[in-house]
Amino acid sequence: KDEATAKRLGPYAARTLGKAPLPKSEVHVELAPTAISGKVRPFLERQWQAYAVDLLAADAKMRDARGRAPDFGDPKAVVAIVDAFVQRRMATLASLTKASVDVDTGVDDVHVRVTATGPERDGGVEAMTVGDVAPIFEVPQDAIFAVLSRSAPDERVADARDVEAAIVAALGARLPEAEGKKLHGAIDGFAKGRGDALTLFALGGADKDKGVGKGLVLRTDARDGGLAPRAMGDVAELLRAPVFKEPFHLKQTLRSTGDAPGVGKCDVLDLSIEGRGKLSDTKLGLAWNAEGGRLVAAVGDSPLDLLVRGTKPPRKLADDKSLATYVSALGKEVSFVFFAQPFLVDPSHPVAPSPAVVSWGKGAGAGERWARVDVSDRVLRELLKKQLGL
């Protein structure tokens, strides 16, 4: 930008950079610690603070328009809890000693990898539970998206406390003491009773009459004396309580049992959500099964069908080589994977497999962490079209 800068950077560009080996990636960017703490972290903090201000402003606007407090508790308390969570993650950036970004393009995809290194201690990079990507391979091939998350028991308990605090703050004085205990039992019991790996995926369907419903399926190991299945029962009971039933306009909550072919007997909660305006009532269901040490739960318009599809899919993601390649490339030290097939949202227009994957995990070196974004060319083109307004 000026002569002084040219004189300061010129020797580096001419002497040092010119002798350095070429990077393996097509694009390679290195970030100094001062750039991370001085530029990247403040930028991310500004983005979050702006979003938090917008949330509170929207709440104030709704209060003025309706002339009363919101149905739930004080949003300021919720934002404060989320802000503390975000700030803890932001603090990690200040401890990083090294960071780099690598970009590579294939024939029909783009790969971006961020690598960062920092001390593994308080105030440094957080502990990370990792493992292989096998649970994602077991997901049905027609899943719209799938999430794999790994966490240690102490992480899950800490996250459960944050979630419970946010819900209690949101409900405010509307939450009776009895329901508060049930809420704690459900969240704490699920956190302590689930396995290290949890998979959540969305299934769609174009022909509901043939038993192809739409909804979400959750899978995890069930351990510690059935705490996780009991937590699902607590959730079902909470949805029948006025504190949740009224704000969500639940007209009916019917608890029963059902049979999922090939899976076994399941607990079922049928929900009827009151229609608003010209909208008719909506029927939803929650079903769960915990046989064989595995908890599987499904919520959607046909929960038993979803449970069967989620437990025994006719075709798994691993059966498609082009899809499996995106996942297998992540390795065996993975903590989080978000796998999406956005074009499956509209099954009436079938396209070739076109995934987008976001993931992170541990690197080979001490204190090394990585994050990846792998996007198919078709998805990237559609994103660019939307950004350009085409």
Side-chain angles (χ1 to χ4, degrees):
K1 62 182 180 180
D2 52 42
E3 184 178 352
T5 303
K7 288 182 177 180
R8 182 164 62 89
L9 299 180
Y12 169 77
R15 301 170 189 167
T16 306
L17 187 60
K19 295 179 181 179
L22 289 174
K24 296 179 180 180
S25 301
E26 297 170 15
V27 177
H28 177 76
V29 179
E30 292 188 5
L31 297 173
T34 52
I36 299 171
S37 59
K39 297 291 184 181
V40 177
R41 180 183 176 185
F43 171 78
L44 294 176
E45 288 178 337
R46 288 195 299 271
Q47 296 300 309
W48 159 245
Q49 292 299 331
Y51 180 63
V53 169
D54 288 343
L55 289 176
L56 296 177
D59 168 64
K61 185 176 180 179
M62 290 179 64
R63 287 175 185 246
D64 292 340
R66 300 167 67 180
R68 62 180 177 86
D71 291 331
F72 295 101
D74 188 358
K76 292 181 180 179
V78 180
V79 172
I81 292 170
V82 178
D83 181 66
F85 176 85
V86 171
Q87 293 301 332
R88 288 199 300 271
R89 270 57 182 180
M90 292 287 187
T92 301
L93 294 176
S95 69
L96 297 181
T97 57
K98 181 181 179 182
S100 62
V101 181
D102 292 279
V103 182
D104 286 291
T105 58
V107 175
D108 53 7
D109 48 25
V110 176
H111 310 276
V112 181
R113 180 183 174 101
V114 179
T115 306
T117 303
E120 295 192 56
R121 54 175 176 76
D122 292 341
V125 294
E126 294 187 355
M128 184 178 287
T129 302
V130 296
D132 59 33
V133 292
I136 286 285
F137 281 136
E138 298 298 312
V139 167
Q141 197 176 110
D142 59 346
I144 297 172
F145 73 80
V147 176
L148 167 63
S149 175
R150 291 185 179 275
S151 56
D154 56 341
E155 295 177 74
R156 297 195 290 273
V157 171
D159 289 341
R161 285 198 295 265
D162 289 340
V163 171
E164 182 181 353
I167 295 176
V168 170
L171 294 175
R174 295 171 59 93
L175 182 65
E177 183 178 354
E179 274 66 38
K181 291 181 178 179
K182 288 182 181 179
L183 178 66
H184 174 76
I187 296 175
D188 188 66
F190 184 77
K192 293 178 178 178
R194 53 154 282 200
D196 288 351
L198 181 145
T199 311
L200 177 71
F201 49 92
L203 297 175
D207 194 347
K208 183 181 176 183
D209 294 334
K210 293 183 179 180
V212 183
K214 300 178 182 179
L216 297 173
V217 180
L218 178 149
R219 294 195 316 211
T220 187
D221 291 335
R223 58 188 195 183
D224 289 347
L227 282 175
R230 286 201 297 273
M232 295 301 303
D234 289 339
V235 170
E237 292 303 314
L238 282 169
L239 290 175
R240 303 173 70 181
V243 64
F244 289 101
K245 192 174 180 179
E246 294 173 4
F248 294 131
H249 307 290
L250 299 178
K251 291 177 61 177
Q252 180 182 4
T253 55
L254 180 62
R255 180 88 178 263
S256 63
T257 59
D259 183 53
V263 178
K265 292 291 182 181
C266 303
D267 290 283
V268 180
L269 181 69
D270 291 312
L271 305 172
S272 177
I273 304 174
E274 181 183 2
R276 310 290 289 178
K278 297 181 179 180
L279 298 177
S280 58
D281 293 352
T282 302
K283 301 290 185 180
L284 283 178
L286 170 66
W288 66 96
N289 172 279
E291 296 182 3
R294 173 65 60 87
L295 172 67
V296 184
V299 59
D301 51 12
S302 187
L304 290 175
D305 288 335
L306 289 168
L307 203 68
V308 173
R309 290 170 63 196
T311 306
K312 297 180 177 295
R315 287 183 60 81
K316 301 176 182 179
L317 189 145
D319 297 330
D320 189 302
K321 185 177 180 180
S322 61
L323 293 176
T325 298
Y326 277 83
V327 179
S328 59
L330 304 180
K332 298 182 179 181
E333 299 289 305
V334 181
S335 179
F336 175 88
V337 181
F338 175 76
F339 180 95
Q341 301 185 84
F343 293 109
L344 292 185
V345 173
D346 184 4
S348 63
H349 295 84
V351 298
S354 305
V357 185
V358 178
S359 58
W360 58 74
K362 276 186 180 180
E368 184 178 294
R369 303 288 186 264
W370 57 263
R372 289 182 57 145
V373 177
D374 303 273
V375 186
S376 64
D377 179 60
R378 188 185 298 272
V379 173
L380 196 60
R381 287 202 307 268
E382 290 301 317
L383 289 174
L384 289 174
K385 286 181 182 178
K386 291 185 179 297
Q387 289 295 319
L388 295 173
L390 299 178

